[in-house]
Amino acid sequence: MTKKDETVNPVSKDNMERLDILIDELKGIFSNIKAHEIMNTSVVVIMPDRTLYQAKELMRLRKISGLPVCDENGMLVGIVSIEDIIKALENNYINDKIERWMTKNVVWISEDEELIDIVEKFSRYGFGRFPVLNTETHRVIGIITKADILSTILNKLKNLYVRDQRMTNVLENTDLHSISLITGEKLDKSGADFYFEINYTDINMAGVGAAKLREFLLSKGFNEELVRRVAIATYEAETNVVIHSESIGKIYCFIRDDFIKVRVEDYGKGIENLELAMQEGFSTAPDYIREFGFGAGMGLVNMKRCSDKIVVVSEVGKGVIVEMLFNIKTGREET
Amino acid sequence: MKLSEIIEKLNLDVVVANELDDVDVVNGYTCDLLSEVMANCKKGTAWITVQSHLNIVAVATICGVSCIILANDHDYPQETIQKAEKEGVVLLKSKLNSYTISGELYKLGIK
Amino acid sequence: MKLSEIAKILNAKILTCEDKADEIDIKIVGASDMMSDVLLIAKPGMLLITGLNSPQVIRTANIVGIPAVVVVRKNVVPSETIEAAKNFGIALLHSPIPMYVACGKLYEKKLKDVAGIIE
């Protein structure tokens, strides 16, 4: 109870002042956000002479809910949404051409439009998405959904937080080598020569660990060819954790006299059929992941090709451990 | 250009053939992202890719591509072959990579 | 072939490392949208043609020692990708033409693939 009492009146005068400062700070961060910073740039467009069925398949593959329709010259002529698809399925015209049923009066956003105006457009029109057009060429360069707005705002907030966190970390740590100045993650030194925690929530972060390991090994003076093999294999293992595990993962690297050992582990759902997973071309990656350029079923093949020894251990529901050895043949380069 | 001529000139392996109809190939498209193929491929396209997943057959059927050319000496999984046989999609393969297959085809005048 | 010349042939915009465009000499080219495939075929010094515009492309390129990347097909390259290219010192080019056409045009100029095969 005593603890609770202390926080009964959080809005003291002092706190009010702090709140004002915070609001000012936030205003500075959220004003001036323009459409091109918010939009999703990996936008696919479809031509008006294609069928609604094609549009449906495209939406399914990309896990998206609407598609801008552009003519041969890339000019925006309409938009087709998941609602249109549902209507088409209900009324049996899914094989009709898109141009017949698309929304023709498209409300769009120019790349320089500001966040506040964009939010206003969402509430005024009630649409789920707006295409973003280049001011000069009038071609579609992106698309904005409410989710894009939300993630932009969350990212800005995250930057705020990370900036502060990182500063304290760096200040408290006199040894700058134990902390990454770019992402601020800790490098565990107990036992392993290199340690990285894999962020499994963001497919865009896949490969960051491998890139760091590469830098680290190069800084230790290992030759490029060896480092390349280690980096490729680690990249694949790391990507697997991000795509498949649904859990955090860890990369450890141990340097010994005649070999480098990399161990990548996660605590996720595991591999059901290891033998099948080792086959080239086999992949359980969902369709939308494949549209990011992953899940070609070459991951384990690449790991095998690049390492001198590889062991994969997995139990369904408990995770995967990949351990790889890379022989140091020519030794370290003389520096 | 007829598909048979392309198969011969590029020395392609035929995995699933369409014996009834020697289709025309009017253009080429190199892409490994199915949604991009779906959005951009036209009828009569030779589609060059490293994707061998089952889904390629559905995409090829929907877009009416003339053939799929699998690069880098990759193999089609059995299920892809079976589906292609059923749907009448021509599956070809080559030891060469996407860059060179595209280049060779482009040189033949297929744009 | 100089990267600046390649940019001209593909009608591409040079987004990063423009000062090095006359220095970078490209001898081999690879084209792919799949990251694993890039890792499989890439040789140091290779020019990568890809339809992906995410920062991973740059990370992948960095891992295998690719000095220059051309993003094709897409209308835009996001700023994160440009930032990543700057950080790693990788030359990034952008041309919205199809990958097939980009390959065709460079192949016509006798740029070889990773296996060095060309007639």
Side-chain angles (χ1 to χ4, degrees), chain A residues 72-309:
Chain A
E72 296 244 317
N73 304 314
M75 293 297 147
L76 183 70
V77 292
I79 196 160
V80 58
S81 71
I82 199 95
E83 291 88 352
D84 298 325
I85 300 294
I86 293 169
K87 274 187 220 151
L89 286 169
E90 274 177 349
N91 300 307
N92 245 335
Y93 56 78
I94 192 76
N95 289 315
D96 279 12
K97 284 191 174 162
I98 290 170
E99 56 200 347
R100 204 177 148 196
W101 301 100
M102 67 188 182
T103 304
K104 291 191 180 95
N105 291 323
V106 190
V107 185
W108 48 272
I109 290 171
S110 83
E111 60 181 326
D112 297 325
E113 238 168 283
E114 290 195 5
L115 177 63
I116 187 147
D117 302 320
I118 298 168
V119 171
E120 151 82 13
K121 269 195 177 144
F122 271 97
S123 56
R124 185 169 2 135
Y125 295 99
F127 296 150
R129 68 209 61 72
F130 293 97
V132 182
L133 267 56
N134 178 293
T135 346
E136 282 157 31
T137 63
H138 274 242
R139 276 164 196 267
V140 177
I141 54 169
I143 195 153
I144 294 181
T145 62
K146 281 185 185 165
D148 295 320
I149 293 183
L150 195 62
S151 78
T152 308
I153 292 175
L154 286 175
N155 266 328
K156 290 267 173 186
L157 282 173
K158 201 165 76 186
N159 284 344
L160 249 189
Y161 176 74
V162 171
R163 207 178 62 200
D164 291 347
Q165 274 298 100
R166 210 188 306 163
M167 278 196 197
T168 36
N169 282 345
V170 171
L171 289 177
E172 281 168 10
N173 243 302
T174 43
D175 180 9
L176 294 181
H177 292 290
S178 67
I179 197 130
S180 158
L181 290 174
I182 301 167
T183 53
E185 86 276 16
K186 259 190 239 157
L187 302 177
D188 189 345
K189 282 184 161 175
S190 62
D193 296 284
F194 173 92
Y195 169 73
F196 182 86
E197 204 169 289
I198 302 166
N199 175 355
Y200 70 100
T201 56
D202 187 358
I203 177 84
N204 271 318
M205 297 294 282
V208 171
K212 292 215 174 301
L213 179 56
R214 176 180 179 274
E215 246 170 70
F216 171 77
L217 292 175
L218 285 176
S219 77
K220 292 277 167 194
F222 289 104
N223 77 57
E224 286 222 14
E225 192 43 45
L226 173 66
V227 173
R228 186 183 138 91
R229 288 199 290 129
V230 177
I232 292 177
T234 309
Y235 183 103
E236 292 287 9
E238 183 184 4
T239 309
N240 274 352
V241 173
V242 176
I243 295 173
H244 298 289
S245 78
E246 293 169 16
S247 101
I248 60 155
K250 287 170 181 175
I251 302 173
Y252 297 96
C253 177
F254 304 86
I255 300 170
R256 298 291 176 261
D257 286 342
D258 46 358
F259 64 83
I260 292 173
K261 183 166 83 175
V262 174
R263 183 184 159 102
V264 180
E265 48 184 54
D266 68 64
Y267 316 95
K269 55 183 191 192
I271 302 172
E272 211 149 296
N273 188 336
L274 205 53
E275 207 177 314
L276 210 55
M278 296 293 264
Q279 263 175 37
E280 185 178 332
F282 178 84
S283 172
T284 55
D287 289 343
Y288 78 95
I289 289 286
R290 227 164 275 144
E291 298 307 301
F292 286 115
F294 293 106
M298 287 185 263
L300 277 163
V301 180
N302 266 348
M303 284 185 239
K304 261 203 277 190
R305 183 177 63 96
C306 290
S307 58
D308 292 297
K309 215 179 256 178

Side-chain angles (χ1 to χ4, degrees), chain A residues 41-42 140-141 203-208 210-211 214 228 231-232 235-236 290-294 296 298-299 302 305, chain C residues 33-37 39-44 52-56 59-60 62-65 74-78 88:
Chain A
T41 55
S42 77
V140 177
I141 54 169
I203 177 84
N204 271 318
M205 297 294 282
V208 171
R214 176 180 179 274
R228 186 183 138 91
I232 292 177
Y235 183 103
E236 292 287 9
R290 227 164 275 144
E291 298 307 301
F292 286 115
F294 293 106
M298 287 185 263
N302 266 348
R305 183 177 63 96
Chain C
D33 297 322
M34 302 305 277
M35 294 298 104
S36 288
D37 188 48
L39 295 176
L40 190 74
I41 61 170
K43 295 246 168 74
L52 289 175
N53 62 1
S54 63
Q56 263 101 349
R59 256 176 251 138
T60 309
N62 172 55
I63 278 176
V64 286
K74 295 278 196 295
N75 276 329
V76 258
V77 180
F88 287 125

Side-chain angles (χ1 to χ4, degrees), chain B residues 40-56:
Chain B
N40 298 311
C41 253
K42 300 184 193 114
K43 198 173 180 314
T45 299
W47 172 21
I48 301 149
T49 186
V50 292
Q51 289 274 29
S52 57
H53 187 268
L54 177 67
N55 282 354
I56 60 171

